[in-house]
Every structure is written in C-alpha cells, then in structure tokens.
Amino acid sequence: MTSIAMIEAAAGRAADRVRRTPLLSSPFLDDIAGRRLFVKAEALQHTGSFKFRGAWSAISALSPEIRARGVIAFSSGNHAQGVAHAAALHGISSVIIMPEDAPRMKIDNTAALGAEVVLYDRAGGEDRDAIGARLSAERGLTLIKPFDNAEVIAGQGTTGLEIAEQATAKGVTQADVLVCCGGGGLTSGIALALEARAPGLRPRPCEPEGFDDVTRSLAAGARATNPSPTGSICDAILTPSPGELTLPVMQRLCGPGLVVSDDEALEAMALAWSRLKLVLEPGGAVALAAALFRHETITGDAVIAVASGGNVDASVFARALARLG
Amino acid sequence: MTSIAMIEAAAGRAADRVRRTPLLSSPFLDDIAGRRLFVKAEALQHTGSFKFRGAWSAISALSPEIRARGVIAFSSGNHAQGVAHAAALHGISSVIIMPEDAPRMKIDNTAALGAEVVLYDRAGGEDRDAIGARLSAERGLTLIKPFDNAEVIAGQGTTGLEIAEQATAKGVTQADVLVCCGGGGLTSGIALALEARAPGLRPRPCEPEGFDDVTRSLAAGARATNPSPTGSICDAILTPSPGELTLPVMQRLCGPGLVVSDDEALEAMALAWSRLKLVLEPGGAVALAAALFRHETITGDAVIAVASGGNVDASVFARALARLG
C-alpha cells in the first residue's frame, strides 16, 4: 500500500522532471464560490494532465534492468500520454494498447510522444488483455496500471504535497480539497499526502452525474458500480467502479463526494478560460464545477479545487465557449 | 530611470501578491521551433496579463499619504484591469478613464475589480487628458502611466528576474528571450533584469505586422511611428511609437525585433491551447508566434517566449480554435 514515505520518495525522483503546477485564483470565481477559491492547475502538467506524475513515479521506481525492457499500458486517454512521455524521457520503449476507434488525435499524440501504439478491434471482440499479456510475456514489458498501482498512487500524491505547501503559504489550513475522480488514483494519493502534511485539508471526490460510483461507494460503505460505461462528456473519469487499492484509502480519509452535471462542467470550463486563462477538459473541470455550483454543501472560508486535465477536442471546447455568447 | 535595484525592490514589495508564473514547454512545440522552447506563462498573472506587475509596483512605491488619495489611469485594456485590481488590494480607490465605445466586457470587468470607470466620448471630441487632469487636481489622484513610468518598468522587470532564475535552473544561459512589445514597458523591464542577472539571455521585441514601430526604431536607430493606430487583432500592443523611457533601454540591450502576422498570432494561440493548456490573446501570442514561425532568424539550442496576456473575446478565440478543425 502507498505510504507517505513512498509519496515523498516519488517527489524526490520527480524533481526537475514533474512540473510544480501553480495554485490559481480570481476574485470573480471567489464571488461565485462564496469563499476564497484556489485552483490547482494540473492541466499545466506535462502531457496536459496529472497522469504524467503517476507514470513518472511508476517507471522511475522500477529497477534499471526491469525498466530497460520497456512498459505497457491500456489507455486511450491521459494515462496513455503520461506513460508514453515518461517512458520516452527515461529512454525506454512503451507499448500503448488502444481501441482502434479511439479518437485519431489521441492515437497520433501518443505515438508522437514516442509510444508504439497497438490498436485492437473492440467491436470485433478482440481481447485487449490477451494482447497485452502476450506482448508482455514476449518482450518482458511491465504493465503500468492507471490507478491500482501503489507507485502510481504515490506519484499522484505528489500533487497533494504541493497543495499542502501552497495552501499553507496562503494561510489556508482548514478547507475542503475537491478532486476530479475516476478510479481514485489522484484522490487517494492526495488524501494520503494531506493526511500527513495538512490534516486540516479534507479531500472530497467529484464526479459527473450518472458516474458517481465513488460518491455512492463512500455513502454506502460498499463498492458501487456505474450503470453504464459511457454517456457523459467527462470521458477522462468514466471508470466503472472505484479501484481496489484506492477505495479503502478514500473510505478512511475522504469527505462526502460531490456530483455535477455535464452542463456545469462546461460552465466551469468557460469560467476557467475567461478568469484563469486555463484550458480544462470536462473531466478535469468537475471539481471546479463543484466548488462553484455546489458551494452550499461546502463549509469554511476557503476551498481548493484540483483542475486535473486539459486534453479536450476543439469541438467540445467550442461548446463551452459558446456559453459566454 | 529604472535600475536593477528598483526591480529587486519591486520584487520585494510584490512578494506573495504578484504571482510567480511557470515556464511551460511541450515536445510538440520544440519540434516546430526547431529547438527547446520555453514559454513564460504570464497570462496566468492576476488579471490575466503582466500589467498587474507594473501596477502593483507603481502603487506600492507611493508614499502612504499620496497613495491613500487614490490613482488614475487611461486604458481600455489590460493596464486598466491591472491598476484596478492592484488599487483594490491596497485598499485605495482607482479611476479608470475609458472611451465609451470600449468593449462592454472590459468596462464591466474593470468596474467589477473595484475601479470607478469614467467614460468619455471619443467621437464627440471630449479630451480625455483634460478629464483626467481635472479629476487628478480635484481629488489628488496619482496618474499611473502604462509604460513610461520608472516604477511600472521596474514591476514588469520582475518578470525578467523570474525568467533568469527559471532558465538557469533548466540549464539555459544563452538564448533569445522574445517579448510581446507595445510601448516597451515589459521588454525594457525584462532587458534590465536580464542584463544584471542573466547576461547571456538576449531580449528581442516581437510585434504584429504594420505595428512594428519598435522593430523599425531599433533598426534605424531613431524613433519610428506606426502609420495607423488600428488594424490588427493584437489590440493589447498597438501603441503608436516606443516610449520615451523604454526606447533607450531597448536600443542599448535588445537584439533585432521580430514581426509576425495576425494569422500567425492566431496559430500560436491555437498551439498554446492544445499543447500548453494556456489561453492567450493575440497580442500576448506574438512572441510565441515568432519563436515558432520565425525560427530561422533565431540562433542557439533554446529560446524563451513571454506569453504576456490572455484577455481575449470568445469570438476571437473561436477563430483560433477553428484552425484546428
């Protein structure tokens, strides 16, 4: 299991390679939120999302011999780009397995970052796990899971170390920390870091409507599952259920979850654009949306929202901008 | 005249109030630029542009008695918002004089930041200087000029102190530093800071086609003027000629200017959006555009571009996004 010592070790390995992202704010957003609102701008991380932190942590934690054989990941999204770039910077090869109907831009970006992209036919029933197992066995590749991996969680936890330092520097020691939540890697990593470094900061997972498996799991005290795998524009955080490693951490350390609509995520994207000059994707904007539009369920005179990613298609972004009409 | 001691004093007064903006990068942009490209993300500054630095510096440098009477500025753009917000944070009043045909959003934003906005009828021949002189005399307001003010230049120079530190930390000690240039306050401030702290970093002003008064002034060794006051989407940096205080500094310390088209500025905005997750306005994107599209006139294995502002209308931004189509 991930410990604060592992998170600090991940931070040590990340020095100069993982970007320390700023904590942004705007008086216009404070007004809407009804309190001081600080936005951890993790969309500014390398590859446009926090996923680079976990990928860097997991790859840098491997022994040189194991690492040299390369890594493999299943992802069509931010994890793919994080693993591809972290592998390239380590000078090792990466194989990313994606469905062949993934957006062309994501396939191209991942390949351009240096990965070998292997496409499989999702509709035709090809088994991606079998493909991955075969490649791993043949080439000795190490699988980097997106969240159920203790070193990945440690890497995401470095975000929490920075939040603890940055919030303390602003005099904020008691506040909710809202985190965009899919499988829970970022949320549980931040939770472990804050427990050790800023115990007055309470993490709370934020999810889109219809995909609130973590919120319901925390409320019920038992693992919940989403009824459908698709159906929200917040594609980066649509996981079927909480992770095996992450749920126990979130149950022990997190406050209640917050749920927002796709429309509210788009509105938060528009406000991040106009007030923070920050590009967010829908799944990376749900925590900001919760801070702005669920403020009646938040207490205290300050709140922190983690803006976890900004990899969004121009057409979706245009929908957010159109709201500013 | 502004000195390095004044810039360092401005940095001291700015501590915790002016945001230290990150130096961003992307392997995709490196490929286009043909070298390592670092982007000083000053659009993330409070009020969305570097202008807050100069405003904070000038207001914080006033004696408490003078400051308490309030300040006044002429601006319909980024300087207005910077002065309004810096004044409000000092707990003093500000008067901003704007043409009544300025965009409603800019008027509203400036007022929302706490300024008293006084509109004048540009078409009807009202004399804004006379209005300003009357208000200043009646109320003892101090005029904060946008660039021809030694303390404003010192404040903009704090950007240069950060660039010197951040570039050195990345091992970059010899490089061109491209700066979006209107009246020259930011360019000359950065130039003075780099002269003292990183003499291998050479500032170069960047301007839009048809508004290259600084580039021509440097080339000719004499003050040049733009033929037209309007006609580019880079509205933030359309000044008629270089400043009185700023031109001598730029003549002494800057390399040759770089000129880009409006189309290239839009393309740079699109790339900053997709690769850096950073929102730029056209005038804030010309230095990045020069780094990307004038790379044959740049030498060395690294270049730094200052992305100076991000206050842009949604309709203009949509034009940039449409290029990604």
Side-chain angles (χ1 to χ4, degrees):
Chain A
M1 205 28 243
T2 307
S3 65
I4 183 67
M6 285 172 68
I7 297 173
E8 299 207 316
R13 295 194 306 276
D16 298 335
R17 306 313 290 257
V18 170
R19 193 170 277 147
R20 182 182 176 89
T21 54
L23 201 60
L24 304 177
S25 62
S26 159
F28 294 97
L29 299 184
D30 292 353
D31 279 352
I32 301 172
R35 52 179 60 84
R36 286 193 298 162
L37 166 58
F38 298 98
V39 177
K40 178 66 170 167
E42 197 59 17
L44 299 174
Q45 189 52 260
H46 295 290
T47 72
S49 88
F50 74 96
K51 290 287 190 181
F52 180 76
R53 293 183 187 260
W56 183 272
S57 172
I59 292 173
S60 63
L62 297 174
S63 74
E65 296 73 26
I66 298 290
R67 183 165 59 228
R69 293 183 199 144
V71 295
I72 186 169
F74 303 96
S75 170
S76 58
N78 291 333
H79 182 56
Q81 293 186 53
V83 170
H85 193 46
L89 292 175
H90 275 94
I92 64 166
S93 62
S94 64
V95 174
I96 309 291
I97 301 187
M98 289 188 181
E100 65 179 13
D101 58 347
R104 174 52 52 184
M105 196 187 71
K106 294 196 172 178
I107 295 173
D108 291 347
N109 280 346
T110 305
L113 287 168
E116 176 186 345
V117 175
V118 174
L119 301 175
Y120 72 96
D121 178 5
R122 182 154 52 177
E126 276 195 88
D127 182 347
R128 70 170 201 177
D129 292 321
I131 298 171
R134 180 174 54 77
L135 286 170
S136 299
E138 285 173 7
R139 295 161 57 171
L141 305 172
T142 300
L143 174 65
I144 310 291
K145 291 185 183 181
F147 49 84
D148 263 335
N149 172 317
E151 289 292 359
V152 168
I153 294 171
Q156 319 308 24
T158 62
T159 318
L161 296 180
E162 294 177 18
I163 291 171
E165 282 182 30
Q166 292 169 318
T168 302
K170 292 183 188 300
V172 177
T173 56
Q174 297 286 327
D176 282 357
V177 178
L178 311 187
V179 188
C180 305
C181 189
L186 180 61
T187 308
S188 59
I190 287 175
L192 290 164
L194 295 180
E195 178 190 28
R197 293 289 167 264
L201 301 182
R202 178 177 71 154
R204 297 179 65 181
C206 299
E207 297 172 294
E209 283 176 2
F211 300 87
D212 57 345
D213 51 300
V214 172
T215 297
R216 286 184 289 113
S217 298
L218 295 182
R223 179 179 310 277
T225 303
N226 293 323
S228 166
T230 57
S232 162
I233 57 170
C234 301
D235 55 290
I237 56 174
L238 302 187
T239 40
S241 64
E244 299 289 336
L245 295 182
T246 61
L247 182 58
V249 174
M250 293 192 285
Q251 284 177 315
R252 185 166 68 80
L253 296 174
C254 284
L258 296 149
V259 182
V260 301
S261 68
D262 281 3
D263 247 27
E264 289 167 328
L266 285 170
E267 184 73 19
M269 289 166 63
L271 288 163
W273 176 86
S274 65
R275 300 307 186 188
L276 301 175
K277 313 309 170 192
L278 183 66
V279 178
L280 298 184
E281 63 188 286
V286 296
L288 176 58
L292 295 169
F293 309 124
R294 292 292 174 277
H295 55 79
E296 72 285 358
T297 68
I298 298 168
T299 56
D301 62 358
V303 64
I304 298 165
V306 180
S308 52
N311 292 315
V312 53
D313 289 337
S315 60
V316 174
F317 202 78
R319 285 175 59 194
L321 281 191
R323 306 175 70 88
L324 298 166
Chain B
M1 205 29 245
T2 305
S3 64
I4 184 67
M6 284 172 68
I7 297 172
E8 298 207 316
R13 296 194 305 277
D16 298 336
R17 306 315 289 259
V18 170
R19 192 171 280 148
R20 182 183 176 89
T21 54
L23 201 59
L24 303 178
S25 62
S26 159
F28 294 97
L29 299 184
D30 292 352
D31 279 352
I32 301 172
R35 52 179 60 84
R36 287 193 297 162
L37 166 57
F38 298 98
V39 177
K40 178 65 171 167
E42 198 59 18
L44 299 173
Q45 190 52 262
H46 294 291
T47 70
S49 89
F50 74 96
K51 289 287 189 181
F52 179 76
R53 293 183 187 259
W56 182 273
S57 173
I59 292 173
S60 63
L62 297 173
S63 74
E65 298 72 26
I66 298 289
R67 183 165 59 228
R69 293 184 199 141
V71 295
I72 186 169
F74 303 96
S75 169
S76 57
N78 291 333
H79 182 57
Q81 294 187 52
V83 170
H85 192 47
L89 292 175
H90 275 94
I92 65 166
S93 62
S94 63
V95 174
I96 309 291
I97 301 188
M98 288 189 181
E100 65 179 15
D101 58 347
R104 173 53 52 186
M105 197 187 71
K106 295 195 171 179
I107 296 173
D108 290 347
N109 280 346
T110 305
L113 288 168
E116 176 187 344
V117 176
V118 174
L119 301 175
Y120 71 96
D121 179 5
R122 182 153 51 176
E126 276 193 270
D127 182 347
R128 69 169 202 176
D129 292 321
I131 298 171
R134 180 174 54 76
L135 286 170
S136 299
E138 285 173 8
R139 295 162 56 172
L141 305 172
T142 299
L143 174 65
I144 310 290
K145 291 185 183 179
F147 50 83
D148 263 335
N149 172 315
E151 289 292 0
V152 168
I153 295 171
Q156 319 307 26
T158 62
T159 317
L161 296 180
E162 294 177 17
I163 290 171
E165 282 181 30
Q166 293 168 318
T168 302
K170 292 183 188 300
V172 177
T173 56
Q174 297 285 329
D176 282 357
V177 177
L178 312 187
V179 188
C180 305
C181 188
L186 180 62
T187 307
S188 60
I190 287 175
L192 291 163
L194 294 180
E195 179 191 27
R197 293 288 166 266
L201 302 181
R202 177 178 71 156
R204 299 179 66 182
C206 299
E207 296 173 295
E209 282 175 4
F211 300 87
D212 56 345
D213 51 299
V214 172
T215 297
R216 287 183 290 111
S217 298
L218 294 182
R223 180 179 310 278
T225 303
N226 294 322
S228 167
T230 58
S232 162
I233 57 170
C234 300
D235 55 291
I237 56 174
L238 303 186
T239 41
S241 64
E244 299 289 335
L245 295 182
T246 61
L247 182 57
V249 174
M250 293 191 285
Q251 284 177 315
R252 186 166 68 80
L253 296 174
C254 284
L258 296 149
V259 182
V260 301
S261 67
D262 281 4
D263 246 26
E264 289 168 327
L266 285 170
E267 185 72 19
M269 289 166 63
L271 288 164
W273 176 87
S274 65
R275 299 309 185 187
L276 302 176
K277 313 308 170 192
L278 182 66
V279 178
L280 298 184
E281 63 189 286
V286 297
L288 175 59
L292 295 170
F293 309 124
R294 292 294 175 275
H295 55 78
E296 71 285 359
T297 68
I298 298 168
T299 56
D301 62 358
V303 64
I304 298 165
V306 180
S308 53
N311 291 315
V312 53
D313 288 338
S315 61
V316 174
F317 202 79
R319 283 176 58 193
L321 281 190
R323 305 175 71 89
L324 299 166

